[in-house]
Each structure stands twice: as structure tokens, then as C-alpha cells.
Amino acid sequence: FDRSRPSDFEDEHPADLEAPEVNPALDLKTFPVEGLEKLIVVAGPGYGKSALLTAIGGLLAEGPQVPVSISLAALSKADSSIIAFLTQHVSQELDLAADWQNLAEQGLLVPLLDGLDEVPSGARPNLIRRIANFSARYPLAPWILSVRDPAIVSGLHDARVIELLPL
């Protein structure tokens, strides 16, 4: 069905309708790979976005990358950059001394940004701007962001949007 053209009375004949084109499934077990370095994962509530981020983090932890799960609600409240948040909150919480900036510059830091929908709508533009700044400042650092409604994400032009489908 071509949504770019206006509807026509003739479109009501089921025989004329074509099956929608379905993109082949992506294998996120290989994340990050070329073309899949910066992802926005879209899915409804209960579809497993957080579980997916946890699973990808577990796979990444087996290699040289350093995955870090970041609650976007907490990052928004902190009102700081991703690197400053990691330094001030995550390092303190986990009692570790990581050089987050160096890891990001080398492309080894992988922020797993969860729950954009949980951030108040008035705070989202500033938060998205901080994610875009991180992405521009550290182009080698892959990341994944999860969201229910893709309409609330704007300004992350270098990210690929993928949708989780129900099983």
C-alpha cells in the first residue's frame, strides 16, 4: 500500500492490495557493527526493550566493550552530560574508577539508554540534545536508546530506528 498517494475508491478492491514489505530481521547479537552503531529501539510497553538492552549488555561485556545501562529518567534529573553522569553517579554507585571519556573516545563505552518515555516531556529536548552532543563528541562510541513512541525522538539523525515486533 503506497501511503504517499491519496486514497481512491478503486483502492477498496482487496485483490489490488499488495502485501506490505517486511524488512528482514536484524541480528542484534552482533551489535555494534557497521550501520548498527547507534540505534533507537521502538516498541510498546512490555515488548522487552529493557530485557533486550540487558541481554545486549551481557553479550558486550564478554568482549572489549564496556556496556553501561543508564536510566534516562536518572540522567535527566542529573542534568549533566553522559560522561559526567557516569563519573558522578555510576562510578560512585559501583565503587569503581573508570576513565569514561577515554573509553568513549576509543569506541569501547556503550551506553544503553533506557526509558525515554519515563522522562517528563518538558525535559526530553534537553536530554536528547545531550545524547546528540555525546554522539557528536564521541563518534566511535555506539549506543542504544529505547522508547515506546518514536514521535518523541527528534534530533538524533545519525541513529537507525528499529522496531521490536511482538513474538
Side-chain angles (χ1 to χ4, degrees):
F1 184 74
D2 183 5
R3 294 189 187 275
S4 62
R5 69 178 182 81
S7 298
D8 187 8
F9 181 76
E10 301 298 321
D11 290 340
E12 293 185 18
H13 298 290
D16 294 340
L17 297 176
E18 296 179 21
E21 185 178 322
V22 177
N23 291 334
L26 295 173
D27 186 1
L28 294 179
K29 288 185 272 185
T30 61
F31 175 82
V33 294
E34 189 171 337
L36 287 178
E37 299 95 353
K38 293 159 180 40
L39 293 177
I40 298 171
V41 176
V42 177
Y47 274 57
K49 297 177 298 293
S50 298
L52 175 68
L53 293 181
T54 300
I56 290 172
L59 290 173
L60 291 173
E62 296 174 2
Q65 275 114 351
V66 180
V68 182
S69 182
I70 300 173
S71 160
L72 289 174
L75 179 60
S76 177
K77 285 180 188 174
D79 198 29
S80 61
S81 71
I82 290 175
I83 297 296
F85 178 81
L86 293 173
T87 302
Q88 296 163 1
H89 298 278
V90 175
S91 291
Q92 212 171 32
E93 182 179 318
L94 299 176
D95 193 27
L96 61 90
D99 187 347
W100 300 111
Q101 183 172 343
N102 189 35
L103 289 168
E105 287 171 349
Q106 294 178 34
L108 297 175
L109 175 63
V110 184
L112 303 172
L113 308 163
D114 196 20
L116 183 59
D117 304 272
E118 297 164 18
V119 175
S121 59
R124 289 178 191 152
N126 182 32
L127 181 60
I128 291 171
R129 193 170 23 262
R130 287 188 273 151
I131 295 167
N133 288 344
F134 174 86
S135 196
R137 170 68 177 88
Y138 306 104
L140 297 178
W143 52 264
I144 303 177
L145 179 145
S146 72
V147 66
R148 292 178 186 164
D149 181 4
I152 67 173
V153 181
S154 62
L156 298 174
H157 306 292
D158 57 344
R160 182 168 175 187
V161 178
I162 62 171
E163 181 179 5
L164 289 183
L165 299 176
L167 296 176

